[in-house]
Amino acid sequence: MTAFGIFCSRKRVLQRTMKPSGPSLCVPCIARLQIRSWHREYPHIGKLHILRAPTSNFRTKVHSRSLHSEFKPFVPPTWTSLPKPAPPKTYRRTRKIIRRLLYLATGLGIAYEVDKFFLYSSLARSARTFWLGSLVATDYKINFRAHPPLADSIQALHTRNAERLFDLLRTNGGLYLKIGQAIAMQSAILPPEFQKMFSKMFDDAPQNDWKDAERVILEDFGKTPEELFGISFTGEPGKGVMERTARASASVAQVHWARLTDGREVAIKIQKREIAQQVGWDLWTFKAVARIYTWLFDIPLYSLVPYISERLLLETDFVNEADNSERMADLVAGESRLRGRVYIPKVYRELSSKRIMTAEWIEGVRLWDKETLTRPWQGRWRQGSPGCRGAPLDAPNRQQVAEVIRNHPSEEHLKPNREWWKGVDGKGGLGVSLKDTMQTMVDLFSAQMFLWGCCHCDPHPGNIFIRRLPSGKPELVLIDHGLYVQMQPEFRHQYSLFWKSLMTFDNKTISEIVRGWGINNPDVFASATLLKPYTGGDGSTSAGIKRTMSAKEQQERTYEMQQQMRKGIREILADEKKWPRELIFIGRNMRIVQGNNQYLGAPVNRIKIMGNWASRSLVDSPDLSYGAKLVNLGRHILFKFVMFGTDVVFYSSKVAQFLGRKSNLEDDMEASMKKMAGDMGFELNHNVFEG
């Protein structure tokens, strides 16, 4: 066989073939050659598996025997001697896992698309909230101690979690921004790192596409905007006009300007289409997270959550906002001390629904524009600014409107510019007194709290316009009446008496009232109400905390202070069933009003004005008997004499400010409040005008 001419490369013991002169081959190689020869002779039989070659020991023994024995050709095994063929590997378990992963990925993909297009990402927002809430809770459980194991300090721990929560609220948007703003105003219970971060929580958001706004109108009224408002987007003669680009856009709604056929200029507030779908999920998530945190950190906050959720839900109901607006307009019109100084825009019910509110358009200057408020008036003498006292506004030029619609349809600015009162150089202003402006504001919100029991809880500068009356006095316009609290007469009388007692250091009455509200620390609550240190108490709380922490190192002192803060919260919320829920939003109102006064340079004595209203309301309240009113009148006269002392402090501060001192009375009170709060475990670091 020619194949035997191949030399074996194996360097082992060789076996001679039948021909002595032929090449030497080892046993395994001979076996392989025999098998190949057998395959050539019997090609119709399947290939045999060659078993593993024998060990070297075995091969040596075979070789030694073969030297003395006759060569025998290799005989293939019979079919019966072969083992049963092994079944092929099916990888059943692996395929099962891969199949389940594919099902899961498909299900998640379908759920994501359904959530995105039908639920407006409500499920994704809730999942994101639970995930980040769990991360923050775990971080605090591990690291909230004097020497955190996974953080440089407690301040660093607060900073990174404040950033996480801020990013979550901004990413989720919608009602989450409202929740963030509500949290931001609770200065007394937040670490300073949270206050700094949340002060940037603007209630703004990108406006929705006009098609979404148009669809909301169609769903609520069954009419197109053209049919409902009698307008034309093509400049058709005899029709009104409307801007499809929103003039303002917030978390819940956006506002469009329009001029109707009858000449009325209106602000059309259209709720964003996704809000109706998201609000239920958002509030449920808020409640669930609050419940978990209450249990996890032993802070009794969950009992307040249902009330907060109810108020936030009402903000999305524009029928409720219209009711509040009309009621406030009636109350202002019936109060001689505010009539002519405060204006509430008219609401047009026939053009309003639960998701759309059409109200009078307001021309004015925002409260935060202090320079424009105080610059000299460039208009005529005895002339008011546009729209004051509800005066009709001049109509837009039809030719200019048609030109804008024809040449710039994507940049609609159809509303006329009505800033002629700024003069030719544009450097004029309303020329109103900041003192008169703030006096009107404090009077209005004091009347709401102490006299009417119907309190606007979102009086930030964006919701307040100032116009100039023909007399040169300011007219305050209050908008956005969605967030209100209604105070029961009994609670309103108690709150008025509480404020009056704060002015006269009547500690016995203060203690009786606050303990009736389930609060065990009158000093802390009194200071939180005044937004300045209350020095009329016994000072035992502050003294005790100073005594226990005087010798601590900085890190341990910070930790102890924040532990005291938690204790203080529990004392304020000692009896959750008695605690008046209205105090949450009343405190928000007072904090914003204080910030307004502080920003304008504290032109008025806010504490005295509010004290006077509190005392006088016990005389003017319509639900008190004549006998009670008579007794309260005598006490009110005595109270006026007592208030003379606050005037001395106020005017001393104004003289110092006139002589060059930069801080004002509100600045001094806030500095004192921060110092006292720091000693008691609270840290205040919040500026209402930052957000």
Side-chain angles (χ1 to χ4, degrees):
M1 297 174 64
T2 57
F4 282 84
I6 301 172
F7 283 88
C8 180
S9 62
R10 299 175 186 273
K11 305 300 182 183
R12 296 188 181 94
V13 180
L14 301 177
Q15 176 184 349
R16 293 284 181 180
T17 60
M18 296 287 294
K19 298 178 182 179
S21 60
S24 300
L25 296 172
C26 68
V27 174
C29 291
I30 293 172
R32 287 188 178 87
L33 290 173
Q34 288 284 8
I35 290 172
R36 291 175 188 168
S37 174
W38 184 78
H39 275 306
R40 282 195 294 272
E41 294 178 9
Y42 303 97
H44 59 281
I45 299 179
K47 205 169 185 180
L48 293 174
H49 293 287
I50 300 176
L51 301 177
R52 183 179 175 185
T55 62
S56 60
N57 222 4
F58 173 77
R59 287 197 298 269
T60 305
K61 290 179 181 179
V62 171
H63 178 67
S64 61
R65 285 199 304 270
S66 64
L67 291 175
H68 306 286
S69 61
E70 185 180 355
F71 172 76
K72 294 181 179 179
F74 178 79
V75 179
T78 62
W79 287 108
T80 56
S81 64
L82 291 175
K84 291 183 178 180
K89 287 189 175 181
T90 58
Y91 301 98
R92 186 175 300 173
R93 186 176 179 182
T94 304
R95 288 195 297 174
K96 190 175 183 180
I97 292 173
I98 293 174
R99 188 166 57 248
R100 288 181 176 179
L101 288 175
L102 287 174
Y103 289 158
L104 178 62
T106 304
L108 289 176
I110 294 172
Y112 174 79
E113 294 299 322
V114 170
D115 179 44
K116 181 178 179 181
F117 291 102
F118 295 99
L119 300 178
Y120 296 97
S121 300
S122 298
L123 295 177
R125 288 148 56 91
S126 298
R128 194 182 298 124
T129 303
F130 279 118
W131 160 249
L132 194 130
S134 303
L135 180 64
V136 170
T138 304
D139 198 5
Y140 272 108
K141 271 296 182 183
I142 295 172
N143 295 303
F144 188 64
R145 55 200 73 223
H147 302 282
L150 301 177
D152 295 334
S153 63
I154 293 179
Q155 290 83 357
L157 174 67
H158 288 324
T159 299
R160 73 187 181 200
N161 284 302
E163 290 174 354
R164 287 169 177 167
L165 290 173
F166 179 82
D167 291 340
L168 170 72
L169 297 175
R170 293 295 301 176
T171 302
N172 281 355
L175 210 61
Y176 280 85
L177 291 178
K178 292 286 185 183
I179 294 172
Q181 286 186 312
I183 294 172
M185 295 311 302
Q186 307 307 314
S187 302
I189 64 173
L190 287 175
E193 292 78 15
F194 279 82
Q195 295 170 32
K196 291 175 185 176
M197 184 61 65
F198 277 59
S199 66
K200 305 171 187 176
M201 187 67 67
F202 292 93
D203 185 13
D204 59 354
Q207 62 176 282
N208 282 10
D209 188 75
W210 168 248
K211 291 182 180 178
D212 290 331
E214 189 176 30
R215 190 169 175 182
V216 171
I217 295 173
L218 192 61
E219 289 173 353
D220 277 24
F221 287 97
K223 298 179 180 179
T224 63
E226 294 92 331
E227 294 170 340
L228 179 64
F229 300 110
I231 55 148
S232 171
F233 293 115
T234 59
E236 184 180 342
K239 297 281 189 179
V241 291
M242 179 179 180
E243 293 179 347
R244 284 172 287 199
T245 303
R247 285 273 169 172
S249 178
S251 55
V252 172
Q254 57 192 49
V255 178
H256 296 258
W257 173 87
R259 186 176 180 93
L260 307 183
T261 310
D262 56 11
R264 292 177 295 174
E265 282 198 16
V266 295
I268 304 172
K269 185 175 180 180
I270 305 174
Q271 188 177 116
K272 294 183 175 178
R273 193 163 180 267
E274 64 270 18
I275 293 298
Q277 192 65 248
Q278 291 175 347
V279 65
W281 286 95
D282 292 349
L283 292 178
W284 176 81
T285 305
F286 174 51
K287 291 177 182 178
V289 172
R291 169 76 81 177
I292 294 169
Y293 273 48
T294 297
W295 169 77
L296 205 58
F297 297 105
D298 191 27
I299 301 177
L301 295 177
Y302 181 75
S303 60
L304 309 179
V305 169
Y307 185 79
I308 296 173
S309 299
E310 181 187 350
R311 303 268 77 74
L312 293 175
L313 184 61
L314 285 173
E315 277 203 85
T316 65
D317 182 356
F318 292 171
V319 173
N320 171 71
E321 181 173 350
D323 292 340
N324 291 335
S325 180
E326 290 178 346
R327 183 182 180 193
M328 186 51 55
D330 292 340
L331 290 170
V332 168
E335 176 53 59
S336 60
R337 289 169 286 184
L338 293 170
R339 191 187 309 121
R341 299 166 60 200
V342 176
Y343 189 85
I344 308 298
K346 301 181 184 72
V347 177
Y348 303 112
R349 291 280 190 170
E350 70 278 10
L351 301 175
S352 301
S353 67
K354 191 170 184 177
R355 293 190 295 169
I356 298 166
M357 192 178 82
T358 305
E360 178 183 359
W361 179 265
I362 296 299
E363 294 280 351
V365 178
R366 302 273 188 178
L367 186 67
W368 58 52
D369 193 353
K370 183 164 56 174
E371 291 188 1
T372 305
L373 291 176
T374 54
R375 282 175 185 166
W377 173 252
Q378 299 286 343
R380 296 193 303 271
W381 183 68
R382 302 294 292 178
Q383 183 182 27
S385 61
C388 68
R389 290 181 176 170
L393 297 169
D394 54 293
N397 187 295
R398 301 294 296 186
Q399 290 183 341
Q400 292 178 354
V401 169
E403 184 179 350
V404 170
I405 292 174
R406 184 170 55 254
N407 299 326
H408 308 284
S410 60
E411 298 180 4
E412 298 173 312
H413 296 288
L414 308 179
K415 187 182 79 67
N417 186 333
R418 299 187 176 101
E419 295 185 344
W420 48 262
W421 44 270
K422 287 187 176 181
V424 179
D425 57 3
K427 294 182 179 180
L430 292 182
V432 297
S433 164
L434 295 181
K435 180 180 179 181
D436 291 342
T437 301
M438 272 311 304
Q439 178 78 40
T440 301
M441 183 186 304
V442 179
D443 282 343
L444 172 62
F445 294 117
S446 297
Q448 289 182 352
M449 279 185 217
F450 302 120
L451 185 60
W452 302 329
C454 179
C455 185
H456 188 299
C457 298
D458 200 15
H460 66 78
N463 285 339
I464 296 174
F465 287 91
I466 305 299
R467 300 191 293 206
R468 178 188 171 97
L469 294 170
S471 62
K473 296 288 185 180
E475 179 184 49
L476 186 147
V477 183
L478 183 63
I479 65 171
D480 195 356
H481 299 265
L483 184 57
Y484 269 69
V485 292
Q486 311 296 333
M487 303 163 66
Q488 295 299 319
E490 182 182 1
F491 170 68
R492 178 167 51 82
H493 297 153
Q494 289 177 342
Y495 193 66
S496 299
L497 183 58
F498 172 70
W499 254 90
K500 181 180 176 181
S501 302
L502 290 176
M503 300 292 99
T504 57
F505 298 110
D506 186 354
N507 296 318
K508 181 180 178 182
T509 303
I510 291 172
S511 181
E512 288 176 356
I513 292 173
V514 299
R515 292 190 188 281
W517 292 342
I519 299 171
N520 288 344
N521 197 324
D523 287 1
V524 172
F525 184 72
S527 299
T529 301
L530 288 171
L531 298 173
K532 77 180 191 69
Y534 177 67
T535 56
D538 57 13
S540 57
T541 304
S542 179
I545 294 172
K546 289 179 180 178
R547 187 168 53 253
T548 57
M549 295 195 299
S550 57
K552 301 277 186 182
E553 114 179 342
Q554 180 62 33
Q555 286 280 63
E556 293 180 355
R557 178 182 170 84
T558 302
Y559 176 70
E560 290 292 335
M561 286 172 62
Q562 298 197 7
Q563 288 291 76
Q564 290 292 339
M565 181 180 74
R566 292 176 61 186
K567 181 182 176 183
I569 294 171
R570 284 195 289 266
E571 287 180 344
I572 291 178
L573 301 174
D575 192 334
E576 302 171 48
K577 294 180 181 179
K578 293 182 181 178
W579 207 82
R581 306 301 189 257
E582 297 88 346
L583 290 173
I584 303 169
F585 291 100
I586 291 173
R588 170 187 169 89
N589 173 291
M590 289 194 299
R591 179 67 184 96
I592 297 177
V593 172
Q594 185 222 14
N596 294 342
N597 191 37
Q598 186 175 356
Y599 175 75
L600 296 181
V604 298
N605 187 343
R606 175 182 58 86
I607 299 292
K608 178 190 174 184
I609 296 171
M610 295 186 71
N612 276 329
W613 274 93
S615 179
R616 181 63 193 230
S617 69
L618 295 172
V619 179
D620 297 337
S621 181
D623 41 38
L624 288 175
S625 64
Y626 288 107
K629 288 182 180 181
L630 190 60
V631 172
N632 290 334
L633 178 60
R635 292 173 178 172
H636 177 66
I637 294 171
L638 293 174
F639 176 80
K640 296 286 285 185
F641 284 105
V642 173
M643 284 295 96
F644 178 74
T646 65
D647 283 336
V648 174
V649 175
F650 173 74
Y651 286 111
S652 298
S653 174
K654 296 302 288 183
V655 170
Q657 194 176 349
F658 177 76
L659 295 176
R661 186 181 178 187
K662 294 184 179 180
S663 62
N664 54 56
L665 182 61
E666 292 285 6
D667 293 330
D668 295 340
M669 288 193 297
E670 183 160 297
S672 300
M673 187 67 177
K674 287 181 179 179
K675 182 178 182 304
M676 186 206 76
D679 292 337
M680 301 178 69
F682 298 86
E683 293 190 63
L684 306 180
N685 186 18
H686 180 71
N687 185 344
V688 71
F689 278 86
E690 290 178 2

